[in-house]
Amino acid sequence: MPPPTMSTPTAGTGPAAPPTAGPAAGAKERITTRRGLVTTCAVLLAVLVSSVVVAIGLGSAVIAPGETARYLWAALSGGIIAVDEVTTYQIIWQIRTPRVLLAALVGAGLSAVGVAIQAMVRNALADPFVLGVSSGASVGAVGVTVTGGLAALGIHAVSAGAFIGALAASLLVYAASTRRGSLSPLRLVLTGVAMSLGFQAVMSVIVYFAPDSEATGMVLYWTMGSFGAASWGALPVVSAVVLLGLAVLYRYGRALDVLALGDETAASLGIGPDRHRKGMLVLVSLVTGVMVAVSGAIAFVGLVVPHVVRMAVGAAHARVLAVAPLAGAVFMVWVDLVSRTLVAPRELPLGAITALVGVPVFIALMRRKGYLFGGR
């Protein structure tokens, strides 16, 4: 897409532009935009912290936010807890805190990955679930759990299986979508949808041949999502991978802007589209695989949150990637809270809640902002 042509006023064609329309005005506009972005991120961060504290305090045993904050501070600072508060403290610190933090990390990661995939394939309907990455990671995790493979990796075996499955799915989708060395974004999305259905069929076969009935519940866990298995032991790896992935994606925000314009434009600006897509696929596979290993496949977060954020801050990926992870983290914290409290003591699948929220929001976005989805 060539840059717009700028017309230069000539004598007699009209008054000259006022001085405020020059570089100073542009700098002022950039500063205002930057300040607005910083303010938005600060507000979302405050909302996220407040949501985390509230979510940790709510459950079968309701604990006031002030008391929750006191227990958290005692855990972080090594403070003293009374003997009659030990049970409540363990509920807060050992059970709920890792779960809520994991929900925030997964929400942030899914939102950022969704932004990257949509730019990478130039398709507003793309996300890890649509491209088959989540389904591939689920197959890898279920396969390792049922067969006992990769046992030498200990507690990281499931994460490794999920990553291998996500990477294999990405490579299959990429290879099937490439024709004569050229990658069509449309073929990539269509192939991903087909592969996703294929991986779901593989999971059905695993259930059929599994030696015990626990496989059925396990597959439901991986396909619908849950943070019920959250623990402090899982947080370091997930935190490291997700935060590193966010940093890398933010670093390549300009490259994503160019990729969203098309391969010819990207090549003319010195951005190798195929090389960047391969790197992005590996990064997306790594982040998605680790998240699926601890939460299962959760749809609609990586699809809807990027669109909502673009409506608020614009299409520049540096801004979107700064805001989307915070928005996704807040959203997922509240989704998990609804999941474990609405029909307590039972838990609702996370995927069911995100679909119930995501479908009407997605339809509303299509009707209100049709240009985001390929035109009216």
Side-chain angles (χ1 to χ4, degrees):
M1 179 182 296
T5 304
M6 302 294 292
S7 59
T8 304
T10 58
T13 59
T20 56
K28 182 178 180 181
E29 182 179 354
R30 287 194 298 271
I31 291 173
T32 303
T33 302
R34 191 180 304 116
R35 287 177 178 173
L37 178 63
V38 171
T39 302
T40 301
C41 291
V43 171
L44 279 174
L45 183 60
V47 172
L48 175 59
V49 173
S50 302
S51 300
V52 167
V53 174
V54 171
I56 291 174
L58 293 179
S60 56
V62 178
I63 302 168
E67 289 297 299
T68 302
R70 182 171 67 86
Y71 289 130
L72 293 176
W73 177 250
L76 294 173
S77 62
I80 299 175
I81 297 296
V83 175
D84 58 344
E85 297 178 318
V86 171
T87 301
T88 305
Y89 169 80
Q90 290 179 339
I91 293 174
I92 290 293
W93 184 248
Q94 298 295 336
I95 299 176
R96 294 184 185 172
T97 299
R99 175 169 183 152
V100 174
L101 293 180
L102 186 62
L105 284 170
V106 171
L110 287 174
S111 301
V113 166
V115 172
I117 289 180
Q118 288 170 8
M120 183 176 65
V121 302
R122 305 201 317 273
N123 193 302
L125 299 177
D127 74 344
F129 192 84
V130 172
L131 289 186
V133 180
S134 294
S135 299
S138 298
V139 169
V142 171
V144 168
T145 306
V146 171
T147 63
L150 304 179
L153 298 178
I155 61 174
H156 301 297
V158 177
S159 298
F163 170 64
I164 293 172
L167 183 59
S170 299
L171 293 176
L172 285 173
V173 171
Y174 188 88
S177 305
T178 303
R179 183 179 180 184
R180 298 177 182 177
S182 175
L183 178 64
S184 168
L186 178 59
R187 286 201 303 269
L188 188 63
V189 172
L190 295 177
T191 305
V193 172
M195 290 292 184
S196 178
L197 296 174
F199 287 128
Q200 292 177 25
V202 170
M203 282 192 288
S204 299
V205 173
I206 293 176
V207 171
Y208 184 80
F209 287 103
D212 53 60
S213 60
E214 293 182 2
T216 302
M218 192 182 309
V219 170
L220 287 176
Y221 169 83
W222 291 112
T223 55
M224 299 300 290
S226 172
F227 295 117
S231 66
W232 283 111
L235 278 177
V237 174
V238 180
S239 301
V241 173
V242 171
L243 294 178
L244 180 61
L246 294 178
V248 173
L249 289 176
Y250 185 81
R251 171 68 178 79
Y252 285 96
R254 180 182 175 274
L256 291 174
D257 287 335
V258 176
L259 284 176
L261 297 176
D263 290 1
E264 293 182 0
T265 302
S268 67
L269 295 176
I271 301 294
D274 287 341
R275 177 171 57 86
H276 278 78
R277 283 197 181 96
K278 290 177 182 178
M280 289 292 175
L281 276 174
V282 174
L283 178 62
V284 165
S285 300
L286 174 61
V287 177
T288 303
V290 170
M291 290 189 296
V292 170
V294 295
S295 67
I298 304 174
F300 277 99
V301 179
L303 176 62
V304 175
V305 172
H307 290 303
V308 175
V309 172
R310 287 191 191 99
M311 290 177 60
V313 303
H317 285 87
R319 295 199 299 267
V320 176
L321 286 170
V323 176
L326 293 172
V330 172
F331 175 65
M332 189 54 65
V333 167
W334 285 99
V335 166
D336 178 59
L337 179 61
V338 172
S339 167
R340 59 187 171 85
T341 59
L342 189 62
V343 292
R346 302 181 64 183
E347 289 189 15
L348 291 173
L350 295 174
I353 300 175
T354 56
L356 289 174
V357 175
V359 169
V361 170
F362 190 75
I363 293 175
L365 287 174
M366 276 199 303
R367 295 179 62 86
R368 183 179 178 184
K369 292 288 183 180
Y371 66 88
L372 290 176
F373 298 86
R376 296 187 182 278

Coordinates of all heavy atoms in Angstrom, one line a residue, residues 71-119:
Y71 N -3.3 -10.7 54.7 CA -2.7 -12.1 54.5 C -1.7 -12.1 53.5 O -0.6 -12.7 53.6 CB -3.8 -13.1 54.2 CG -4.7 -13.4 55.4 CD1 -6.1 -13.4 55.3 CD2 -4.2 -13.7 56.7 CE1 -7.0 -13.7 56.3 CE2 -5.1 -14.0 57.7 CZ -6.4 -14.0 57.6 OH -7.3 -14.2 58.6
L72 N -2.0 -11.4 52.3 CA -1.0 -11.4 51.2 C 0.3 -10.7 51.7 O 1.4 -11.1 51.4 CB -1.6 -10.7 50.0 CG -2.8 -11.5 49.3 CD1 -3.3 -10.6 48.2 CD2 -2.3 -12.8 48.8
W73 N 0.1 -9.6 52.4 CA 1.3 -8.8 52.9 C 2.1 -9.7 53.9 O 3.3 -9.7 53.8 CB 0.9 -7.5 53.5 CG 2.0 -6.7 54.1 CD1 2.3 -6.5 55.4 CD2 3.1 -6.1 53.3 NE1 3.4 -5.8 55.5 CE2 4.0 -5.5 54.3 CE3 3.4 -6.0 52.0 CZ2 5.1 -4.8 53.9 CZ3 4.5 -5.3 51.6 CH2 5.4 -4.7 52.5
A74 N 1.4 -10.4 54.7 CA 2.1 -11.3 55.7 C 2.9 -12.3 54.9 O 4.0 -12.7 55.3 CB 1.1 -11.9 56.6
A75 N 2.3 -12.9 53.9 CA 3.0 -13.9 53.1 C 4.3 -13.3 52.4 O 5.3 -14.0 52.3 CB 2.1 -14.6 52.1
L76 N 4.1 -12.1 51.9 CA 5.2 -11.5 51.1 C 6.3 -11.0 52.0 O 7.5 -11.0 51.7 CB 4.7 -10.4 50.2 CG 3.8 -10.9 49.1 CD1 3.2 -9.6 48.4 CD2 4.5 -11.7 48.1
S77 N 5.9 -10.5 53.2 CA 6.9 -9.8 54.1 C 7.4 -10.7 55.2 O 8.2 -10.3 56.0 CB 6.3 -8.6 54.7 OG 5.2 -8.9 55.5
G78 N 6.8 -12.0 55.3 CA 7.2 -12.8 56.4 C 6.6 -12.5 57.7 O 7.2 -12.7 58.8
G79 N 5.4 -11.9 57.7 CA 4.7 -11.5 58.9 C 4.2 -12.6 59.7 O 4.2 -13.8 59.2
I80 N 3.6 -12.3 60.8 CA 3.1 -13.3 61.8 C 1.6 -13.5 61.6 O 0.9 -12.5 61.6 CB 3.5 -13.0 63.2 CG1 5.0 -12.9 63.4 CG2 2.9 -14.0 64.2 CD1 5.5 -12.4 64.7
I81 N 1.1 -14.7 61.6 CA -0.3 -15.0 61.5 C -0.7 -15.7 62.8 O 0.0 -16.6 63.3 CB -0.6 -15.9 60.3 CG1 -0.2 -15.1 59.0 CG2 -2.1 -16.3 60.3 CD1 -1.1 -13.9 58.7
A82 N -1.8 -15.3 63.4 CA -2.3 -16.0 64.6 C -2.7 -17.4 64.3 O -3.0 -17.8 63.1 CB -3.5 -15.2 65.1
V83 N -2.6 -18.2 65.3 CA -2.9 -19.7 65.2 C -4.3 -19.9 64.6 O -4.4 -20.8 63.7 CB -2.7 -20.4 66.5 CG1 -3.1 -21.9 66.4 CG2 -1.3 -20.3 67.0
D84 N -5.3 -19.2 65.0 CA -6.6 -19.4 64.6 C -6.9 -18.9 63.2 O -7.9 -19.1 62.6 CB -7.6 -18.8 65.5 CG -7.4 -17.3 65.7 OD1 -6.4 -16.8 65.3 OD2 -8.4 -16.6 66.2
E85 N -5.9 -18.3 62.6 CA -6.0 -17.8 61.2 C -5.2 -18.6 60.2 O -5.2 -18.3 59.0 CB -5.5 -16.3 61.1 CG -6.3 -15.3 61.9 CD -5.7 -13.9 61.8 OE1 -4.4 -13.8 61.9 OE2 -6.5 -13.0 61.7
V86 N -4.6 -19.7 60.6 CA -3.7 -20.4 59.7 C -4.5 -21.1 58.6 O -4.1 -21.0 57.4 CB -3.0 -21.5 60.5 CG1 -2.3 -22.5 59.6 CG2 -2.0 -20.9 61.5
T87 N -5.7 -21.6 58.9 CA -6.5 -22.2 57.8 C -6.9 -21.2 56.8 O -6.8 -21.5 55.6 CB -7.8 -22.9 58.5 OG1 -7.4 -23.9 59.4 CG2 -8.6 -23.5 57.4
T88 N -7.4 -20.1 57.2 CA -7.8 -19.0 56.3 C -6.6 -18.5 55.5 O -6.7 -18.3 54.3 CB -8.4 -17.8 57.0 OG1 -9.5 -18.3 57.8 CG2 -8.9 -16.8 56.0
Y89 N -5.4 -18.4 56.1 CA -4.2 -18.0 55.4 C -3.8 -19.0 54.4 O -3.4 -18.6 53.3 CB -3.1 -17.8 56.5 CG -1.7 -17.6 55.8 CD1 -1.3 -16.4 55.3 CD2 -0.8 -18.7 55.8 CE1 -0.1 -16.2 54.8 CE2 0.4 -18.6 55.2 CZ 0.8 -17.3 54.7 OH 2.0 -17.2 54.1
Q90 N -3.9 -20.3 54.7 CA -3.6 -21.3 53.7 C -4.5 -21.3 52.5 O -4.1 -21.5 51.4 CB -3.5 -22.7 54.3 CG -2.4 -22.9 55.3 CD -2.4 -24.2 56.0 OE1 -3.5 -24.9 56.0 NE2 -1.3 -24.6 56.5
I91 N -5.8 -21.0 52.8 CA -6.8 -20.9 51.6 C -6.4 -19.8 50.7 O -6.4 -19.9 49.5 CB -8.2 -20.7 52.2 CG1 -8.7 -22.0 52.9 CG2 -9.2 -20.4 51.0 CD1 -10.0 -21.9 53.6
I92 N -6.0 -18.7 51.3 CA -5.7 -17.5 50.6 C -4.4 -17.7 49.8 O -4.3 -17.4 48.6 CB -5.5 -16.2 51.5 CG1 -6.9 -15.8 52.0 CG2 -4.9 -15.1 50.8 CD1 -7.8 -15.3 51.0
W93 N -3.3 -18.1 50.5 CA -2.0 -18.1 49.9 C -1.7 -19.4 49.1 O -1.1 -19.3 48.0 CB -0.9 -17.9 51.0 CG 0.5 -17.8 50.4 CD1 1.5 -18.7 50.6 CD2 1.0 -16.7 49.7 NE1 2.6 -18.2 49.9 CE2 2.3 -17.0 49.4 CE3 0.4 -15.5 49.2 CZ2 3.1 -16.2 48.6 CZ3 1.3 -14.7 48.4 CH2 2.6 -15.0 48.1
Q94 N -2.1 -20.5 49.6 CA -1.7 -21.8 48.9 C -2.7 -22.2 47.8 O -2.3 -22.9 46.9 CB -1.6 -22.9 50.0 CG -0.6 -22.7 51.0 CD 0.8 -22.7 50.4 OE1 1.1 -23.2 49.4 NE2 1.8 -22.0 51.1
I95 N -4.0 -21.8 47.9 CA -5.0 -22.3 47.0 C -5.4 -21.2 46.0 O -5.3 -21.3 44.8 CB -6.2 -22.8 47.7 CG1 -5.8 -24.0 48.6 CG2 -7.3 -23.3 46.7 CD1 -6.9 -24.6 49.4
R96 N -5.9 -20.1 46.5 CA -6.5 -19.0 45.7 C -5.5 -18.2 45.0 O -5.7 -17.8 43.8 CB -7.5 -18.2 46.5 CG -8.7 -18.9 47.0 CD -9.6 -18.0 47.7 NE -10.8 -18.7 48.3 CZ -11.7 -18.2 49.1 NH1 -11.6 -16.9 49.3 NH2 -12.6 -18.9 49.6
T97 N -4.4 -17.7 45.7 CA -3.5 -16.8 45.0 C -2.8 -17.4 43.8 O -2.8 -16.7 42.8 CB -2.4 -16.4 46.1 OG1 -3.1 -15.7 47.2 CG2 -1.4 -15.4 45.4
P98 N -2.3 -18.6 43.8 CA -1.7 -19.1 42.6 C -2.7 -19.2 41.4 O -2.4 -19.0 40.3 CB -1.1 -20.4 42.9 CG -1.7 -20.8 44.2 CD -2.0 -19.5 44.9
R99 N -3.9 -19.6 41.8 CA -4.9 -19.7 40.8 C -5.3 -18.4 40.1 O -5.4 -18.3 38.9 CB -6.2 -20.3 41.4 CG -7.4 -20.4 40.4 CD -8.5 -21.3 40.9 NE -9.6 -21.4 39.9 CZ -10.4 -22.4 39.8 NH1 -10.3 -23.4 40.6 NH2 -11.3 -22.4 38.9
V100 N -5.5 -17.4 40.9 CA -5.8 -16.0 40.4 C -4.7 -15.5 39.6 O -4.9 -14.9 38.5 CB -6.2 -15.1 41.5 CG1 -6.5 -13.7 41.0 CG2 -7.5 -15.6 42.2
L101 N -3.4 -15.6 40.1 CA -2.3 -15.1 39.3 C -2.1 -15.9 38.0 O -1.8 -15.3 37.0 CB -1.0 -15.3 40.2 CG -0.9 -14.4 41.4 CD1 0.4 -14.6 42.1 CD2 -1.1 -12.9 41.0
L102 N -2.4 -17.2 38.0 CA -2.3 -17.9 36.8 C -3.4 -17.5 35.8 O -3.1 -17.4 34.6 CB -2.5 -19.4 37.1 CG -2.3 -20.4 35.9 CD1 -0.9 -20.3 35.4 CD2 -2.6 -21.8 36.3
A103 N -4.6 -17.2 36.3 CA -5.6 -16.7 35.4 C -5.2 -15.4 34.7 O -5.4 -15.1 33.5 CB -6.9 -16.5 36.2
A104 N -4.6 -14.5 35.5 CA -4.1 -13.2 35.0 C -3.1 -13.4 33.9 O -3.1 -12.8 32.8 CB -3.6 -12.3 36.1
L105 N -2.1 -14.3 34.2 CA -1.1 -14.6 33.2 C -1.6 -15.2 31.9 O -1.3 -14.7 30.8 CB 0.0 -15.5 33.8 CG 0.9 -15.0 34.8 CD1 1.7 -16.1 35.5 CD2 1.9 -14.0 34.1
V106 N -2.5 -16.1 32.0 CA -3.1 -16.8 30.8 C -3.9 -15.8 30.0 O -3.9 -15.7 28.8 CB -3.9 -18.0 31.2 CG1 -4.7 -18.5 30.0 CG2 -3.0 -19.1 31.8
G107 N -4.7 -14.9 30.7 CA -5.5 -13.9 30.0 C -4.6 -13.0 29.3 O -4.9 -12.6 28.1
A108 N -3.5 -12.5 29.9 CA -2.6 -11.6 29.2 C -1.9 -12.3 28.0 O -1.8 -11.7 26.9 CB -1.5 -11.1 30.2
G109 N -1.5 -13.5 28.2 CA -0.9 -14.2 27.1 C -1.8 -14.5 25.9 O -1.4 -14.3 24.8
L110 N -3.0 -14.9 26.2 CA -3.9 -15.2 25.1 C -4.3 -13.9 24.3 O -4.4 -14.0 23.1 CB -5.2 -15.8 25.7 CG -5.1 -17.3 26.2 CD1 -6.5 -17.7 26.8 CD2 -4.8 -18.2 25.0
S111 N -4.4 -12.8 25.0 CA -4.8 -11.6 24.3 C -3.6 -11.1 23.4 O -3.8 -10.7 22.3 CB -5.1 -10.5 25.4 OG -6.2 -10.9 26.2
A112 N -2.4 -11.2 24.0 CA -1.2 -10.8 23.2 C -1.0 -11.7 22.0 O -0.7 -11.2 20.9 CB 0.0 -10.7 24.0
V113 N -1.1 -13.0 22.2 CA -1.0 -13.9 21.1 C -2.0 -13.7 20.0 O -1.8 -13.8 18.8 CB -1.0 -15.4 21.6 CG1 -1.2 -16.4 20.5 CG2 0.3 -15.7 22.4
G114 N -3.3 -13.4 20.4 CA -4.3 -13.1 19.5 C -4.0 -11.9 18.6 O -4.2 -11.9 17.4
V115 N -3.5 -10.9 19.2 CA -3.1 -9.7 18.5 C -2.0 -10.1 17.4 O -2.1 -9.7 16.3 CB -2.5 -8.6 19.4 CG1 -1.9 -7.4 18.6 CG2 -3.6 -8.1 20.3
A116 N -1.0 -10.8 17.8 CA 0.1 -11.2 16.9 C -0.4 -12.0 15.8 O -0.1 -11.8 14.6 CB 1.2 -11.9 17.7
I117 N -1.3 -13.0 16.0 CA -1.7 -13.9 15.0 C -2.6 -13.2 14.0 O -2.5 -13.4 12.8 CB -2.5 -15.1 15.6 CG1 -1.5 -16.0 16.3 CG2 -3.2 -15.9 14.5 CD1 -2.1 -17.2 16.9
Q118 N -3.5 -12.3 14.5 CA -4.3 -11.5 13.6 C -3.5 -10.7 12.6 O -3.9 -10.5 11.5 CB -5.3 -10.7 14.4 CG -6.4 -11.5 15.1 CD -7.2 -10.7 16.1 OE1 -7.1 -9.5 16.2 NE2 -8.1 -11.4 16.8
A119 N -2.5 -10.1 13.1 CA -1.6 -9.3 12.3 C -0.8 -10.1 11.3 O -0.6 -9.8 10.1 CB -0.7 -8.4 13.1

